[in-house]
Amino acid sequence: MTNKERYKQAFSVLHTSDQFSVEVENMSRLNKKHNIKVAAAALAGCILLAGGTGTAYAANVGGIQRTVQVWLHGDQTTANMTVSDDGTYTIEYPDENGETREISGGGIAYEADGTERPLTGEELLEEANSPDVEYNDDGTVWLYYKNQKIEITDKFKDDVCYVKVQDGDETLYVTVKYQNGLAYSNEKYVEEDEFN
């Protein structure tokens, strides 16, 4: 009889316990969890590195700055938009004389659970491109929306004007109070007692 046959005969009566099988499975599961944790830690490190770089950039210029196309008085203009963490923005653009002009705004949004958050850069740009009214020294009143310039001087009744504007498939119902602001909706005219 060879050594191999002797070992086979000696150990053939031995069986692995159920406990041993469970331990092997547990070790396998723990090894997988460890690999997942290592991958998650690596991903978190990359995010922190990228986020830290962005934070340093934002801290250097006082906000995140980018070049945008914005509608001003019916003309599309290239401008520099600076967005701050608190939900405010500043847009600097050249006027017709080449001088730098500035507009600013901002706001907050309410989440479904009632918490408030600063507006995002995209939401702020949408606000900057919203309808605007201009009162001129000659007494005329103009409504601007994207590439549209609409004189609304003669449309006021009791210092309120209702104007429907369209841009492609989008329709806006604009309510203007003379020298007292405007409101708009995609669904219906906002009643003048609902704002200001």
Side-chain angles (χ1 to χ4, degrees), residues 66-187:
R66 60 183 170 164
T67 302
V68 295
Q69 292 290 314
V70 65
W71 290 98
L72 299 168
H73 298 150
D75 295 318
Q76 196 169 30
T77 305
T78 300
N80 290 322
M81 181 176 186
T82 304
V83 178
S84 298
D85 291 338
D86 63 356
T88 60
Y89 70 89
T90 303
I91 295 177
E92 294 180 345
Y93 64 95
D95 67 6
E96 61 276 355
N97 300 325
E99 295 181 28
T100 300
R101 300 283 181 198
E102 185 177 291
I103 57 174
S104 59
I108 58 170
Y110 291 97
E111 299 292 347
D113 64 358
T115 59
E116 61 182 52
R117 64 165 175 81
L119 294 178
T120 65
E122 289 72 28
E123 291 168 328
L124 292 170
L125 186 57
E126 186 178 319
E127 178 187 319
N129 284 322
S130 64
D132 190 27
V133 174
E134 182 178 70
Y135 301 90
N136 292 324
D137 293 337
D138 63 3
T140 59
V141 183
W142 291 85
L143 174 68
Y144 298 103
Y145 180 61
K146 295 192 178 178
N147 63 344
Q148 300 175 50
K149 303 173 189 178
I150 305 166
E151 184 176 1
I152 59 173
T153 310
D154 298 330
K155 296 185 181 207
F156 285 93
K157 286 188 178 175
D158 298 324
D159 288 338
V160 178
C161 171
Y162 298 97
V163 183
K164 179 179 166 182
V165 292
Q166 290 188 284
D167 180 50
D169 293 338
E170 182 181 27
T171 301
L172 288 183
Y173 299 92
V174 183
T175 305
V176 181
K177 288 184 184 178
Y178 190 79
Q179 297 282 355
N180 199 13
L182 65 86
Y184 59 91
S185 169
N186 295 91
E187 299 167 2

